[in-house]
Each structure stands twice: as structure tokens, then as C-alpha cells.
Amino acid sequence: MLKYSRQRESIQNFLANRYDHPTAETVYQNIREEFPNISLGTVYRNLNLLAEIGEIQKISTGAGPDRFDGNMHPHYHFICNHCGCVMDLSVSGLEHINILASQNFGGAVEGHVAYFYGKCPTCAEDKISLPHTQKTS
Amino acid sequence: MLKYSRQRESIQNFLANRYDHPTAETVYQNIREEFPNISLGTVYRNLNLLAEIGEIQKISTGAGPDRFDGNMHPHYHFICNHCGCVMDLSVSGLEHINILASQNFGGAVEGHVAYFYGKCPTCAEDKISLPHTQKTS
DNA sequence: CTGCATGCAAAAACTTTGCACCGCC
DNA sequence: GGCGGTGCAAAGTTTTTGCATGCAG
């Protein structure tokens, strides 16, 4: 019932080789090099589809457009308050937090997402307030 | 420099007495009973303002519009995959996770947000797949 | 062939903003 | 009064969708 499409494969490949959590627009601009006629609608449709079937991850930062991550290994995300960049973050010792959250809760906790905020390494080092990154492009 | 406004006070009071994390639209509909001429723009302006000064919290669920929470005591949120409702969740034992996240990270972790997903108590109980809540209204 | 996927464009959903007027301080 | 807040409406941003056509199975 899920039919192969070159566009979807290309999108998934693209994400698998990026570590900067691009937006749909960024994916679109890049995939356009291979498929000049692809439409933004198709990019959104495939991004949502891939996220639903667990091949990629959708990241809602709470500011600006959603971002997408092709890395499905368990990890967290850090969002810089200063420059807006999104970085991967390995945090060990959080394997049990669904169980912690289940305590005194009548429902079923099946998963969680967590975002860490602060200053990224580059911004923490800078004395001057110059955003070193605004958006991926 | 921050001037008092009856509209803002009303919005803050409204949120302080709700525990269902309403959307801007819901806030608007309710505040309209007291201020029939208030505009949605004003609601958004005040919600953003209150969130910036730390009087309320903005919740980006990743699906649908942002929600707002007047409860500033430390707590987490649970989002039901089934009916979409948002509930408060007390999780103890997570006080140290910013420190855990800082390990092997060159920047400065200043805070975090976490959302737990699964089936809320009502949906977990139901055998039938009937959403008991769609949106707050 | 059959039906899901695509391209295109229009529209929907959500949020922000410009401007003239209003009301705190 | 002066300046921030408001109401209104228009515009901005991000995402979804209807429809005719294209391509995988």
C-alpha cells in the first residue's frame, strides 16, 4: 500500500546525510537540485509520511518552522537561545524517565521528547552577540 | 515601562484558573465575554508578552496551535496521542537532567522542556476509539 | 489497468504587524 | 500629555489540500 517513489527516497537519503536538522524549505531547495520539478507540497507530504512511519523525526522547536532529523538513534536536541541552531545531544541516564513519568498517572506513557535550551558551544565562546547561524540554507 | 492593562490582567487571571492548557483562540473566545471588543491580535500580544516575562508558559505540542499554561510551578506535560488533550504531569527525579545533558557538551545548558506522549487515563480505559476531547473550547 | 504519488496552485491554519485611536501613569 | 496598549484589518509564515496527470505494482 505504500508505493515507492524516487522523490521520497531522495528526501530520506538527504536527511540521512545531514546533521543540521533542516526545515522543509531547506529540504525542498536541496532536493530540487535532483528533481527540479518537485513541489513543496510533495516535500511536506513525504516528510510527514516518513515521520509517521518512524523513518525520520519531526522537531518542533516552538519558534519558526518545524525541522526534520534523519537520525533515529536515541538522542536529544539542544536549541541555542542565541543563534537558533539545533544540535544533537547524547544524554545517558534518561532511559527510565517514562517510568518516572508514569508514577501517579492513570494513563500509559509511551514516549517522550525533550529539548534542552541554552547557549551552544560557539555562542558560549563568543563575547560579542553576533549570531553565527540563523537558519540552515 | 510595562503599563497595566485590564485585558492583560484578565488573560492572566483566566489562565490562572484553567488547567486544560487552552489555545490563543480559546483564550480569545473566553475573554470576549468580559471584553466583547478585544481582538485576537491583542490576545496574542499579551500571551507572548506574559510568556516572555515568565508569568505563563507557552506549549508547542508539535500538532495544532500553541497552548498556554498559567501554572508556573515546575511540572511537565503529557499529550495524548489519541484525543490530543494536554495534561499536567508531576515527575520527580528529573532535577539533574540539565547537568546530565551538559556532559560532553561544550555549551551551556540553561533549561529544558519535555513532553510525554501516550494514552491519557480516559483514552487508556476506553475500548472504543472515540476521542473524548478534541480541542478545548 | 488501478491506485497511490506528484506537481501545481489555491486555500487553510496560525500568528504577527501597521496604523490610528484610547487610556494608564 | 506622552507613550505604551488596543482594535481592526491586512499581511506574513508555515502547512495542507483538491485536482488532473504520472508512474509503480
Side-chain angles (χ1 to χ4, degrees), chain A residues 17-38:
Chain A
N17 293 296
R18 292 278 288 222
Y19 298 93
D20 63 345
H21 316 86
T23 63
E25 179 66 30
T26 302
V27 173
Y28 172 57
Q29 293 302 342
N30 282 272
I31 299 297
R32 219 139 68 121
E33 292 173 11
E34 187 180 352
F35 296 92
N37 291 321
I38 197 172

Side-chain angles (χ1 to χ4, degrees), chain A residues 78-87 118-134, chain B residues 105-108 110:
Chain A
F78 175 88
I79 299 160
C80 182
N81 286 329
H82 189 235
C83 70
C85 70
V86 178
M87 303 175 63
K119 266 188 166 178
C120 74
T122 306
C123 286
E125 203 178 291
D126 288 354
K127 304 291 177 247
I128 310 162
S129 281
L130 277 176
H132 63 90
T133 313
Q134 284 288 14
Chain B
F105 179 65
E110 293 161 2

Side-chain angles (χ1 to χ4, degrees), chain A residues 76-81 89 91 94 113-120, chain B residues 57 76 94-102 105 107-114:
Chain A
Y76 292 90
H77 291 110
F78 175 88
I79 299 160
C80 182
N81 286 329
L89 202 60
V91 186
L94 294 189
V113 303
Y115 301 117
F116 293 88
Y117 291 90
K119 266 188 166 178
C120 74
Chain B
Q57 201 180 337
Y76 292 91
L94 294 189
E95 299 76 12
H96 61 302
I97 82 173
N98 285 350
I99 294 165
L100 280 182
S102 296
F105 179 65
V109 177
E110 293 161 2
H112 67 270
V113 302

Side-chain angles (χ1 to χ4, degrees), chain A residues 28-125:
Chain A
Y28 172 57
Q29 293 302 342
N30 282 272
I31 299 297
R32 219 139 68 121
E33 292 173 11
E34 187 180 352
F35 296 92
N37 291 321
I38 197 172
S39 72
L40 190 52
T42 297
V43 171
Y44 270 105
R45 270 188 290 240
N46 279 308
L47 253 12
N48 286 334
L49 180 54
L50 289 167
E52 267 166 38
I53 64 179
E55 295 285 332
I56 66 170
Q57 200 179 339
K58 184 195 278 200
I59 305 171
S60 298
T61 66
D66 288 344
R67 289 160 170 276
F68 297 87
D69 187 355
N71 174 11
M72 292 310 282
H73 295 109
H75 68 285
Y76 292 90
H77 291 110
F78 175 88
I79 299 160
C80 182
N81 286 329
H82 189 235
C83 70
C85 70
V86 178
M87 303 175 63
D88 288 331
L89 202 60
S90 293
V91 186
S92 50
L94 294 189
E95 300 76 11
H96 60 304
I97 82 172
N98 286 350
I99 295 165
L100 280 183
S102 297
Q103 275 159 20
N104 312 313
F105 180 64
V109 176
E110 294 163 1
H112 67 270
V113 303
Y115 301 117
F116 293 88
Y117 291 90
K119 266 188 166 178
C120 74
T122 306
C123 286
E125 203 178 291

Side-chain angles (χ1 to χ4, degrees), chain B residues 46-96:
Chain B
N46 279 308
L47 287 172
N48 285 334
L49 181 52
L50 288 167
E52 267 167 37
I53 64 179
E55 295 285 331
I56 66 170
Q57 201 180 337
K58 185 195 276 200
I59 305 171
S60 298
T61 66
D66 287 345
R67 290 159 171 275
F68 296 87
D69 187 354
N71 173 10
M72 292 309 284
H73 295 108
H75 68 286
Y76 292 91
H77 291 110
F78 174 87
I79 299 160
C80 181
N81 287 328
H82 189 234
C83 71
C85 71
V86 179
M87 303 174 62
D88 288 330
L89 203 59
S90 291
V91 186
S92 50
L94 294 189
E95 299 76 12
H96 61 302

